[in-house]
Amino acid sequence: MKLEEKILETLSFFNPMTLEQIYLDFDEDFLLENSNYTYEDLISALARLEKCGKLKSSGKEKSKTWIRVYPKKGLLSRLLGYLK
């Protein structure tokens, strides 16, 4: 499993999480299998997910938190919802 996938699995849609909370929520098996990941890898993965629009961050550098963004519905599903 890639680091980005694990971050998306870990983050909540409702409660923003700090970097420490994200790291503590990773399961032990994932950390043992991927012991080569560093702090910089985690920060860059969070930045990439934020650029893609899957995460939103708030706060300053020291107290920065991330929250998962609920995916928007596509045009087709919205049109089908109006027809029901």
Side-chain angles (χ1 to χ4, degrees):
M1 178 179 286
K2 291 176 59 174
L3 184 58
E4 287 89 0
E5 293 171 2
K6 189 64 177 174
I7 291 171
L8 288 176
E9 182 182 299
T10 302
L11 281 173
S12 170
F13 287 110
F14 304 108
N15 299 323
M17 297 176 74
T18 63
L19 191 62
E20 292 83 16
Q21 290 172 331
I22 294 169
Y23 184 75
L24 289 173
D25 276 357
F26 287 159
D27 56 347
E28 185 179 350
D29 295 333
F30 175 77
L31 292 174
L32 289 175
E33 289 174 8
N34 301 299
S35 61
N36 57 342
Y37 285 140
T38 62
Y39 174 80
E40 288 80 21
D41 294 333
L42 183 59
I43 293 293
S44 64
L46 286 166
R48 281 192 303 271
L49 288 170
E50 194 174 346
K51 271 188 184 175
C52 293
K54 295 183 180 185
L55 301 180
K56 188 166 68 170
S57 67
S58 61
K60 301 285 183 196
E61 286 297 319
K62 298 289 183 188
S63 62
K64 198 167 191 177
T65 60
W66 290 269
I67 192 166
R68 195 165 172 197
V69 175
Y70 196 75
K72 294 181 180 179
K73 290 184 178 180
L75 179 64
L76 183 61
S77 62
R78 284 187 282 164
L79 288 174
L80 291 174
Y82 290 130
L83 294 176
K84 286 185 177 183

